[in-house]
Amino acid sequence: MDLFLHRRADHRRRCRGPVDQKGIGMSEPILKGRGLIKRYGRVTALDRCDFDLMPGEILAVIGDNGAGKSTLIKAISGAVTPEEGEIWMNGKKVHFTSPSDAREAGIETVYQTLAMSPALSIADNMFMGREIRKPGIMGKVFRQLDRPAMEKFARQKLSDLGLMTIQNINQAVETLSGGQRQGVAVARAAAFGSKVIILDEPTAALGVKESRRVLELIQDVKSRGIPIILISHNMPHVFEVADRIHIHRLGRRLCVINPKDYTMSDAVAFMTGAKEPPTEELAA
Amino acid sequence: MDLFLHRRADHRRRCRGPVDQKGIGMSEPILKGRGLIKRYGRVTALDRCDFDLMPGEILAVIGDNGAGKSTLIKAISGAVTPEEGEIWMNGKKVHFTSPSDAREAGIETVYQTLAMSPALSIADNMFMGREIRKPGIMGKVFRQLDRPAMEKFARQKLSDLGLMTIQNINQAVETLSGGQRQGVAVARAAAFGSKVIILDEPTAALGVKESRRVLELIQDVKSRGIPIILISHNMPHVFEVADRIHIHRLGRRLCVINPKDYTMSDAVAFMTGAKEPPTEELAA
Amino acid sequence: APASAEDISACLITKTDTNPFFVKMKEGATAKAKELGIELKSFAGKIDGDHETQVAAIETCIADGAKGILLTASDTSSIVSSVKQARDAGLLVIALDTPLNPIDAADMTFATDNFKAGELIGQWAKAKLGDEAANAKIAMLDLAVSQPTVGVLRDQGFLQGFGIDLGDPNKWGDETDPRVVGHDVTAGNEEGGRTAMENLLATDPMINVVYTINEPAAAGAYEALKAIGREGDVTIVSVDGGCPGVQNVADGVIGATSQQYPLLMASKGIEAIAAWAKDGTKPEPTEGKDFFDTGVELVTDQPVDGVPSISVKDGQDRCWG
Amino acid sequence: MSDNVTTDKYESASNREDKLAEFEVHKRGMFGNVQHWLHLTPAAVPLIVLIASILIFGALIGDRFFSPFALTLVLQQVQIVGIVAAAQSLIILTAGIDLSVGAITVFSSVIMGQLTFRYGMPPSLAILCGLIFGTLCGTLNGFLVSRIKLPPFIVTLGTWQIILASNYLYSANETIRAQEIETHAPLLQLMGTKFQLGGAIFTLGVIFMIALMIVLAWVLRHTAWGRHVYAVGDDPEAAQLSGVNVKATLLSVYALAGLICAFAGWALIGRIGSVSPTSAYEANIESITAVVIGGISLFGGRGSILGALFGALIVGVFSLGLRLLGADAQWTYFFIGVLIIAAVAVDQWIRKVSA
Amino acid sequence: MSDNVTTDKYESASNREDKLAEFEVHKRGMFGNVQHWLHLTPAAVPLIVLIASILIFGALIGDRFFSPFALTLVLQQVQIVGIVAAAQSLIILTAGIDLSVGAITVFSSVIMGQLTFRYGMPPSLAILCGLIFGTLCGTLNGFLVSRIKLPPFIVTLGTWQIILASNYLYSANETIRAQEIETHAPLLQLMGTKFQLGGAIFTLGVIFMIALMIVLAWVLRHTAWGRHVYAVGDDPEAAQLSGVNVKATLLSVYALAGLICAFAGWALIGRIGSVSPTSAYEANIESITAVVIGGISLFGGRGSILGALFGALIVGVFSLGLRLLGADAQWTYFFIGVLIIAAVAVDQWIRKVSA
Ligand SMILES: Nc1ncnc2c1ncn2[C@@H]1O[C@H](COP(=O)(O)OP(=O)(O)OP(=O)(O)O)[C@@H](O)[C@H]1O
Ligand SMILES: Nc1ncnc2c1ncn2[C@@H]1O[C@H](COP(=O)(O)OP(=O)(O)OP(=O)(O)O)[C@@H](O)[C@H]1O
Ligand SMILES: [Mg+2]
Ligand SMILES: [Mg+2]
């Protein structure tokens, strides 16, 4: 098996990779990555990286700056195409060549940079790339957008999430504060993500109160049965919400731990290389 | 007194403003701001804001997103000119119209955006705006830069701070990782700041290890007797290093607390308006 | 309101308003118009070949209620539709300097024969060289790669006069005669003239005859020759007859130039419009030609047999600009 | 684990007051309202400038200017620049710039003419070929910009010279005369067809320009493609991440711009009657001028395409007005230079005070 | 307080391993080293292209091209564009663009000539006035860009038309003849002074161009002002915050560019002998072409000014080489178009592979 080969090739990678392989009471991963490689010029951002997301779980990904976390989730969400390696979704091999591919498959991502068009409205941004067209001839032939429907849906979603009350859904995103933008981005992902939601440092720029709202939202989404990948540098947040923690180091998965079994200190020590990860870590 | 007027004008602002006015065992503030106002279009980022920094202390500034923290320190460091209000330094009124004014007065700032020129080298960036010229005629008449001296000094400072070992001080900043850039920015401030050092969210983008180094650096600088202003959303960091905490809310100073007397929960509650600040808070 | 003399207005539309030739034409027209009490408006394209601005100018004149238009067309065929529009609106349209294609598209043409102008300097250069003409090395300094008509006419006229087979007379550059070293473009100014001359000299340093589209280009070519010390043994010929150009003939920079009379064309044109406004008479063409020939004279102090010419002195008396 | 429990305690403090963050509702005075409206309606400023300049020239010149004939004359005079400005606007909205528009325009018209007269193709087919050729030129630009990722300024600086040189080489600098076109291929002159409404004279080309602008404005506002054009111009990386196919959008914009330029080439034949390879040589600078005066940002993503129409008309009104006032042509250029700077300064000022 | 003590515990874990973050030392092969050097030396690519094109044309054409005469001829032919390209480079390094350079050049030369001959000023004073005038034009551009904060493209699009129109209006299109200048004010032709070295002919103007480029390259690299120019082009806001006076830097760059253009105007008199208001009308596009081929980024902050010199020379070598090969003038334009795109594509490719 390829797992075996990997272990031999790299002696530092000790903890057990694909945790489901034990098969005790675990279902198949909804999203699975194997041997992903991505280089930027001379930098190897992903170095034969593996990855597993179980149904219904919150998986936190932690790691130092530049460890390749953002690159990993970009590879999963189609924003970059890995040079090698494979991704499975629900046991079927997938090949996303653009973010829209992944979105069509039900994977929604909030990128670290938010990915909004500042001059366009909140509604435009929420529906970017999956606009609703008018019914009948205007929509089919002339491809006219159904603005009222889009606006209604957007307003609905934003209030549903209780993140904010928007006065004017046609306001340009650039007129929103950083926290409000973050809210719109998260709302967009939560509204459309039917299979997986990925959040890259959703609370990095947020104040305490806003961060809390986002954490509540994450748990809310989880309760709807949708699994979440959360990237964060904030250990308390990670330990609060995560079911499992994927520790990323030097472009690959170092190990996966269960937050109930380890302290934050342990996690940080693994992540920074201060401590060797456990040889057989069962992250159930 | 104007303090009295302010209190009457705004009933929510209860805690004692300029804390030194008690005069018990306190020296004069090294940096003092009174009634600072700054508007961006219709947004009032600073709303009659007061501010005090004592010699040798670490003053943390906390507040929600958009509370006006960055604007406050930009006003102090000359990056924006407040429309009204006064700033005193060592008891003398100062009027900074550009960041270089403040830097000449010994105030060094690490801005939230880092303020580096990506294509230029580390040494160029460290000396930007205060380049060293060659001695003799080449420097005086032809204004030639003394590159060897600048490079030596830059290398020295970076290693002094133990932040990193730089292979090539002539490397372009854009080739550095986020953490390394942050390190250079902090090193620049620490190297030149003779009176005050201001850090705006220096750890926001950093990993755990890098954050720790920056915190150590802050304490290092303090031990050299230089006061520091630290803006951060990270409560544990703030409570770890700060001597006093300036709580900013809706464009002005809500109150100043001593971290020894209050819990993080209290601070967050004041900051978000969940709890009224103490009427007579003596932040010594 | 019935037209009194003060109410008569006329338009002058030139190819550019930067070329001294047209600047002088405008001065001539302005002076004559003032004398006759006619209000004159002048228009021009941005560069030679810019006929769209000329179309807009004709339309403006119609809107302005002008009585007549004096036009030096940048594109002799393209402008015809607009000219027709103006004539239909009751304006007298006189082509100056350049005949339209077809020539009767305008009410009358007051022109120099540009082909003839070229022919004269071609004949002169041939006679000047004598037997050497058979081994001449000719540089052709033209106007622009877009080959505006006037440039083609002068160029082909010169070659005809020199006795070189033209190929297609409607364009330059298709000649096969080895005596033609090459064509290059000058934009009709000194800088272009110098660069083009240098290019052709690098191609063949033994060039001994230089045709130039106008006198500024000739001045530039002379600088290039001077730079390699060959200004004495190369014959430069040109067309236009502006005062600086004639002065250059006097100074020996240019061997001979064909002089044209823009002031005359312009003042004749204004007179014709005045007459048309007064009683509807149209001007008559020169005997035996289908246009009113304002004449072209070869200006040189080295006259040759069989080519009529006037002296530099006379040329200076009649020069423009 | 004890530490994560204690750690989180402080955060819950923030939830005690549960007032939601709200968008501020600003109270504005009359003046504020006007500014706000100007800010939200990017084509309004050029429209106001246009109306003001018509009124001023009308007052100065009187009936000669303020007649249906003269006013529709402006429309006829700007039709080519107007159509090209529509193409230019699309490209500038994506934060690009196209220096080759004029070259594409004139080469397309030359191709329509030469295919008909040199090779005896039926005019309708020749026109189709011309339109396809324009689209291909645009596609070439789009390919170099979107795939090879070269800066648009440089790409079109190169293709401008390439296309223009090819145009002269192919056409052999031959003009096809209006009379011949009229007799043998009147379809080429279709866009020049005139009809009168009172004293106003319209041509099909003018109608085409106006219709094109309105259709494009609608498409940009009301279709997904239109929104994507704005998103790409605003921030291409964000657009890519939020699911827009940036490459395809850019390619389609450049190709469409090429097609529009080819239509401009057809309209050009209608306007000047003949086919001349020296036409439209300054259409690039003139169209950029129109777009800039029309308030579309050169940085992309902001502005309305109708602004470009107004911008072209402003230049047209100024040119005609100054000529009727008897100003020297050089003064016209002088004032257009001043106008460009003034228009952008005013626009900047409005954006600043109403921010 | 108990919570801040426990909270921090986990962070200290990271300090157990105290290896410092280190910059990676990359091992590169031969090819890698070359790429790296090319990446670090932005003027290297155009230099290589220049040498290659000289060799290729030399091989194709032989002695006629590969002679000191022909090679120094290229220098003479590019001197005006080269000097103007130096000004353009400075502006493009600040992420600007200057369309008015040609207009400033020709108006300055006209002023030098007209002051001498129309008003009888001593030539030295007239030249001084011309240089001051150029500087003032540049300062006007700089003022509009740095204070009013208008985009450089639009500002110089406007001033281009304004200055050029003023030039024609002021000069009344009069040419001052070379012979007159030679007799009455030879100082105006100073830059045309020739001297020979073997078969090579140099003029003072050529020496001036090369010296100017070298001095500017040194200043940009070795003075604070030079570093500030790069910083402003790179990220004006960061430059401002790190203590650079952005407005003053921009103003000085535009003013200096104006002065350099005025020098180009002086060199123009030396080159063409006479003073003609119709010269240098395409210097803006030609200088931008040289800068772009020279590898200076239009986005500012990257590239070496020597690249612009090489860029100008590449265009010169191509023009002369193609003419000598017997290509039609149209073909020259065609190939320069191809060259522009190819040069930038190669540059992009090198940056990509060596990133
Ligand atoms: N577009 C890019 N071009 C070149 N290098 C890149 C690019 N994106 C990422 N990298 C490099 O790849 C490495 C991994 O980056 P990545 O953004 O995935 O790290 P990360 O773990 O998300 O870090 P952070 O915590 O700072 O967000 C870094 O060295 C980074 O510099
Ligand atoms: N250049 C600017 N133009 C317009 N508005 C601005 C500008 N800079 C700041 N603001 C506004 O001023 C207010 C205060 O901003 P500021 O950056 O000072 O907040 P902050 O407390 O630093 O927030 P954060 O914690 O997110 O950094 C915000 O509403 C912001 O949108
Ligand atoms: Mg990341
Ligand atoms: Mg801030």
Side-chain angles (χ1 to χ4, degrees), chain B residues 185-200:
Chain B
V186 173
R188 171 169 70 176
F192 291 100
S194 57
K195 297 279 159 43
V196 176
I197 292 177
I198 304 177
L199 304 165
D200 193 355

Side-chain angles (χ1 to χ4, degrees), chain D:
Chain D
M1 308 266 53
S2 77
D3 58 353
N4 25 348
V5 180
T6 42
T7 304
D8 289 328
K9 215 171 57 187
Y10 73 88
E11 294 192 330
S12 55
S14 67
N15 276 341
R16 280 172 221 166
E17 185 205 41
D18 221 356
K19 209 167 117 261
L20 293 174
E22 267 172 47
F23 282 54
E24 273 179 69
V25 198
H26 296 290
K27 295 235 174 70
R28 301 184 192 94
M30 249 286 281
F31 188 58
N33 274 325
V34 171
Q35 279 182 339
H36 188 69
W37 178 75
L38 287 176
H39 187 64
L40 290 184
T41 319
V45 180
L47 180 59
I48 292 169
V49 173
L50 175 62
I51 293 171
S53 47
I54 292 176
L55 292 178
I56 291 171
F57 279 112
L60 288 176
I61 302 170
D63 278 357
R64 275 180 307 149
F65 182 83
F66 222 53
S67 65
F69 177 76
L71 292 179
T72 48
L73 187 58
V74 171
L75 279 171
Q76 288 177 47
Q77 293 184 342
V78 304
Q79 64 177 301
I80 306 301
V81 170
I83 296 172
V84 173
Q88 189 71 262
S89 304
L90 287 176
I91 286 175
I92 289 183
L93 279 177
T94 68
I97 199 159
D98 194 340
L99 299 175
S100 70
V101 281
I104 298 178
T105 300
V106 62
F107 203 177
S108 302
S109 81
V110 163
I111 282 186
M112 294 175 191
Q114 294 292 354
L115 288 184
T116 311
F117 287 90
R118 201 187 290 176
Y119 309 110
M121 226 182 235
S124 53
L125 198 61
I127 289 169
L128 188 69
C129 289
L131 296 179
I132 291 174
F133 173 79
T135 315
L136 287 180
C137 288
T139 310
L140 173 67
N141 283 335
F143 173 79
L144 291 170
V145 169
S146 70
R147 301 281 150 166
I148 320 284
K149 297 207 160 48
L150 303 181
F153 189 94
I154 296 174
V155 165
T156 57
L157 181 66
T159 53
W160 171 25
Q161 313 221 13
I162 294 173
I163 296 171
L164 209 56
S166 311
N167 166 48
Y168 291 137
L169 288 166
Y170 173 76
S171 68
N173 302 95
E174 268 168 31
T175 300
I176 301 171
R177 295 174 23 186
Q179 291 79 350
E180 278 173 55
I181 297 177
E182 221 170 300
T183 349
H184 301 295
L187 193 65
L188 288 178
Q189 294 177 341
L190 180 74
M191 292 280 211
T193 315
K194 280 197 200 53
F195 41 94
Q196 212 150 346
L197 284 174
I201 300 173
F202 293 94
T203 65
L204 223 52
V206 168
I207 308 290
F208 176 78
M209 169 183 74
I210 294 174
L212 176 73
M213 285 288 191
I214 292 174
V215 168
L216 282 178
W218 187 88
V219 166
L220 284 172
R221 177 109 192 86
H222 288 288
T223 70
W225 180 81
R227 299 283 89 190
H228 293 182
V229 169
Y230 276 90
V232 167
D234 216 2
D235 183 343
E237 211 174 325
Q240 176 72 37
L241 288 178
S242 55
V244 174
N245 189 337
V246 172
K247 282 183 191 173
T249 307
L250 276 178
L251 196 66
S252 66
V253 165
Y254 280 89
L256 179 58
L259 176 63
I260 294 174
C261 288
F263 271 106
W266 188 12
L268 186 67
I269 305 179
R271 166 128 181 93
I272 62 175
S274 51
V275 172
S276 159
T278 59
S279 312
Y281 76 104
E282 265 202 338
N284 51 4
I285 291 295
E286 284 169 1
S287 65
I288 294 171
T289 302
V291 169
V292 160
I293 293 180
I296 299 179
S297 162
L298 284 180
F299 303 111
R302 281 131 216 268
S304 154
I305 198 166
L306 289 180
L309 175 60
F310 301 141
L313 288 172
I314 291 172
V315 175
V317 166
F318 260 73
S319 306
L320 183 67
L322 286 171
R323 273 194 239 120
L324 286 179
L325 277 177
D328 198 89
Q330 293 300 340
W331 282 108
T332 312
Y333 302 137
F334 186 95
F335 282 115
I336 288 174
V338 173
L339 184 67
I340 291 172
I341 295 177
V344 180
V346 166
D347 204 57
Q348 199 95 324
W349 177 77
I350 283 174
R351 265 156 235 284
K352 198 149 114 198
V353 292
S354 71

Side-chain angles (χ1 to χ4, degrees), chain B residues 151-271:
Chain B
E151 284 162 20
K152 192 169 154 231
F153 183 88
R155 193 175 292 114
Q156 166 92 45
K157 284 299 158 192
L158 286 176
S159 7
D160 270 9
L161 298 170
L163 264 167
M164 61 190 73
T165 53
I166 301 271
Q167 287 282 333
N168 179 2
I169 205 85
N170 284 320
Q171 201 161 3
V173 162
E174 66 195 343
T175 64
L176 301 181
S177 82
Q180 289 172 322
R181 273 182 226 199
Q182 188 70 263
V184 172
V186 173
R188 171 169 70 176
F192 291 100
S194 57
K195 297 279 159 43
V196 176
I197 292 177
I198 304 177
L199 304 165
D200 193 355
E201 310 225 14
T203 59
L206 292 188
V208 175
K209 189 161 65 174
E210 287 78 10
S211 299
R212 196 103 297 275
R213 289 243 162 76
V214 171
L215 292 180
E216 279 163 19
L217 172 68
I218 290 174
Q219 272 155 335
D220 210 55
V221 170
K222 182 192 165 178
S223 72
R224 278 159 42 202
I226 300 173
I228 291 170
I229 302 171
L230 169 71
I231 298 184
S232 182
H233 284 302
N234 191 315
M235 288 304 133
H237 288 173
V238 166
F239 273 75
E240 182 187 348
V241 299
D243 296 316
R244 297 189 309 146
I245 300 174
H246 167 136
I247 300 183
H248 211 77
R249 184 163 161 74
L250 301 174
R252 65 172 69 171
R253 176 168 69 179
L254 183 73
C255 58
V256 179
I257 61 170
N258 187 323
K260 298 196 197 73
D261 303 339
Y262 289 87
T263 63
M264 292 192 206
S265 310
D266 294 333
V268 170
F270 297 155
M271 180 175 121

Side-chain angles (χ1 to χ4, degrees), chain C residues 192-275:
Chain C
R194 176 162 186 176
T195 306
M197 191 69 234
E198 286 168 343
N199 287 344
L200 293 171
L201 279 174
T203 312
D204 186 342
M206 295 325 293
I207 286 169
N208 58 1
V209 177
V210 179
Y211 154 84
T212 55
I213 177 69
N214 62 6
E215 286 138 5
Y222 183 77
E223 292 295 317
L225 290 165
K226 208 168 96 184
I228 57 165
R230 292 205 53 217
E231 71 269 29
D233 47 284
V234 175
T235 304
I236 301 178
V237 291
S238 192
V239 180
D240 260 6
C243 293
V246 176
Q247 186 61 45
N248 276 341
V249 178
D251 292 347
V253 171
I254 299 172
T257 190
S258 286
Q259 189 168 44
Q260 306 190 20
Y261 302 99
L263 289 162
L264 183 64
M265 289 175 206
S267 54
K268 287 271 180 215
I270 293 291
E271 281 168 9
I273 291 174

Side-chain angles (χ1 to χ4, degrees), chain B residues 79 99-100 103 111 113 115-120 124 128-129 131 138 142-145 147 162 164-167 171 174 176 180 188 208-209 212-213 216 236-237 239-240 259 262-264, chain E residues 1 3-5 7-8 10-12 14-15 17-25 39 218 220-224 227-228 230-232 234-235 237-245 301-302:
Chain B
S100 14
R103 290 165 62 184
Y111 294 97
T113 50
M116 303 256 210
S117 298
L120 297 184
D124 280 337
M128 185 61 64
E131 291 81 359
M138 283 313 286
F142 297 105
R143 313 183 79 78
Q144 187 182 4
L145 297 179
R147 283 186 178 279
M164 61 190 73
T165 53
I166 301 271
Q167 287 282 333
Q171 201 161 3
E174 66 195 343
L176 301 181
Q180 289 172 322
R188 171 169 70 176
V208 175
K209 189 161 65 174
R212 196 103 297 275
R213 289 243 162 76
E216 279 163 19
H237 288 173
F239 273 75
E240 182 187 348
Y262 289 87
T263 63
M264 292 192 206
Chain E
M1 308 266 60
D3 58 352
N4 28 344
V5 179
T7 307
D8 288 327
Y10 72 89
E11 296 192 328
S12 55
S14 67
N15 276 339
E17 186 204 41
D18 220 357
K19 207 165 120 263
L20 293 174
E22 267 174 46
F23 283 54
E24 272 179 69
V25 198
H39 187 65
W218 187 88
L220 285 171
R221 178 112 192 84
H222 289 287
T223 69
R227 299 283 88 191
H228 293 183
Y230 276 90
V232 167
D234 217 1
D235 183 343
E237 210 173 325
Q240 175 73 38
L241 288 179
S242 55
V244 174
N245 190 337
R302 280 131 217 268

Side-chain angles (χ1 to χ4, degrees), chain B residues 45-75:
Chain B
L46 287 184
D47 182 14
R48 282 171 291 131
C49 178
D50 295 343
F51 174 84
D52 294 275
L53 177 71
M54 293 298 154
E57 77 170 346
I58 296 178
L59 176 74
V61 177
I62 64 173
D64 258 352
N65 287 111
K69 305 181 295 298
S70 296
T71 309
L72 172 63
I73 63 107
K74 280 189 183 163

